[in-house]
Amino acid sequence: MTTAKKTTAGRQGFKTGEAVVYPAHGVGRITAIEEQEVAGFKLELFVVSFEKDKMVLRVPTAKANSVGMRKLSEPEVVKKALDVLTGRARVKRTMWSRRAQEYEAKINSGDLIAVTEVVRDLYRSEAQPEQSYSERQLYEAALDRIVREISSVNRITETEALKLIEQSLAKSPRRAKAETESDAEGEGDDIQEEAA
């Protein structure tokens, strides 16, 4: 298998050095465009590096759009995402396993607004009941995705992006209500569902 590195102009609007979002992994950077021979066919590939995860992904240039790889969101979309965080959480009264699947699908959609909705719906303040392990895992995965994208779009550190997100979450109308409900502990799952 021979590999010849190409640093030519971008394919399908993507170019070397550009930050992109890959749905299943979040924000990565195109480090090169390579040509490889696979089963006798020449295949052009984007080499996408996810530095934080210490992972490199090779995406066929022709399949980039069909797998959902996209450019970073525009600043207006980031602003809209931060506005979504200030809204009231929408938690369906379905079984957790069904909701968990829906949250997972939103996280892996690569859509910043959908991922932000997961963060909004699963966020818990200190005054609210503890999350289950699986809720916490989904929340942290979604939070990590939006922190990375917001920091890349706004050209700020991930810590600064996290502060922006936390400020937006604090503005949510349910926070004050949830804090008064948590004082009446022991009321069962109904309060937990309403607070979420």
Side-chain angles (χ1 to χ4, degrees), residues 35-107:
E35 203 172 90
Q36 289 186 351
E37 193 172 314
V38 180
F41 295 99
K42 282 201 185 298
L43 197 58
E44 195 174 56
L45 305 163
F46 289 118
V47 180
V48 184
S49 173
F50 299 87
E51 197 173 298
K52 194 171 183 180
D53 301 325
K54 294 177 177 48
M55 178 177 73
V56 175
L57 195 64
R58 285 175 169 72
V59 182
T61 56
K63 298 268 186 198
N65 287 334
S66 64
V67 297
M69 192 167 101
R70 65 173 174 82
K71 293 179 177 288
L72 291 175
S73 297
E74 293 295 319
E76 302 82 54
V77 177
V78 169
K79 186 183 179 319
K80 184 179 177 192
L82 290 170
D83 289 344
V84 166
L85 293 173
T86 65
R88 187 174 300 280
R90 293 178 180 87
V91 178
K92 296 178 184 172
R93 296 217 181 247
T94 56
M95 289 178 56
W96 167 247
S97 59
R98 168 98 22 103
R99 281 188 293 147
Q101 286 176 335
E102 289 173 10
Y103 290 143
E104 188 80 42
K106 281 184 171 187
I107 292 168

